[in-house]
Amino acid sequence: MGRVRQADIARVAGVSQATVSVVLGGNRTGVRLAESTRLRVLEAARRLGYADPLAKRPACQDLFGICAATPVFEAHQAVLAGIAAEAAALGKDLIMFAAAGPALARRTRLADGCLFLGGPVPEELLTGGFPIVHIGRCAELGDRVPCVDADYAPASAEVVARLVRAGHRRIRYLREPADTPAARERERGIRAEAGAVGLVVAADGTGLGAAAIRGWLAEGVTALVVDEAVLAPAQRALRAAGATVPGDVSLAVLGRPPSGTPGPEISGFEVPRRALGREAVRLLASLVGTGAGGHRLLACPPVAGETIAPVA
């Protein structure tokens, strides 16, 4: 076919050659252009084998991407707020990507590097040397991608140590059902501290009801430690059993309930979500600028709360 010209792209995309020129040039003059038109031009260029127009943007180390599924955006507003704040502090611009698969792998190259929050990382990006930082540890990625996460294990161990100092020796741990890296780290911290002091700790985050609570109290359990995802059903079961907190049983959460949750402040620790967002931007800036990456774990500040009491 010979060299692909912009006129060929215009013909396939059904637009003028001037429009093709604007799109492939990055629309630096700010011409009003429908997003569907821009994508149609880029797709026609790709199909005809035109040199990747996205690669023509000079690397300036100032444009960072964010890739995340919609539910993640809704659940991690604090992380996104941290990302935005640190990007502004460092003079970086942000662009969000909602595509998936090969389209995502191609479009992310508009940016100088990308933050991934929850969604899968395309294999094409993993093998191409593109700067990536994953927020939260991901078992599938291992050490292939630098990540930023909360340091759950020592924070969880500290919660148990706090209960031990209050005289508790029989503790029931309610684990969330999902087998995520964060859940495994929380349980690792719980069990490490429990083994050191000889506590009886059982992981059971399912089948919560009044009968289970009454049975545990009859067995001598004096404290419950629950993952954040299991807090609401645990509280419902406690109310159904007529058990008071911390009168009948102490309660600690590995994380922090949403603001506005009724009742006394739950003891536990804070997940530093906003700080995670800021640290992820700093790590990506380092990766883009110097190639220096690695994993970074942030400490979880303890929350004293009002739901841990000394054993009577």
Side-chain angles (χ1 to χ4, degrees), residues 151-235:
D151 201 1
Y152 290 107
S156 301
E158 193 278 332
V159 169
V160 176
R162 212 184 312 172
L163 287 165
V164 171
R165 290 194 295 270
H168 296 275
R169 293 297 180 270
R170 294 186 66 84
I171 299 171
R172 170 74 65 163
Y173 168 48
L174 305 181
R175 187 188 191 279
E176 70 168 280
D179 189 28
T180 64
R184 290 195 292 270
E185 283 297 296
R186 289 192 293 266
E187 183 172 356
R188 184 170 70 85
I190 288 287
R191 291 191 175 279
E193 186 66 24
V197 295
L199 298 180
V200 177
V201 178
D204 184 1
T206 60
L208 294 179
I213 297 293
R214 294 191 188 103
W216 296 338
L217 294 180
E219 293 169 2
V221 170
T222 60
L224 299 181
V225 178
V226 303
D227 280 345
E228 197 172 7
V230 189
L231 176 61
Q235 289 179 307

Side-chain angles (χ1 to χ4, degrees), residues 66-131:
I66 304 174
C67 302
T70 299
V72 177
F73 277 123
E74 295 170 352
H76 293 281
Q77 292 300 316
V79 175
L80 294 169
I83 290 173
E86 191 62 25
L90 296 181
K92 309 296 182 183
D93 290 318
L94 296 171
I95 181 172
M96 292 187 178
F97 297 101
L104 176 59
R106 184 174 63 86
R107 291 177 190 175
T108 50
R109 296 187 186 279
L110 274 169
D112 298 301
C114 247
L115 302 169
F116 276 80
L117 180 59
V121 180
E123 187 65 28
E124 297 92 326
L125 293 180
L126 294 174
T127 57
F130 183 69

Side-chain angles (χ1 to χ4, degrees), residues 131-133 146-147 279-296:
I132 293 171
V133 170
C147 80
E279 186 63 25
V281 174
R282 288 193 288 267
L283 179 56
L284 184 58
S286 172
L287 195 63
V288 170
T290 67
H295 295 340
R296 297 182 184 176

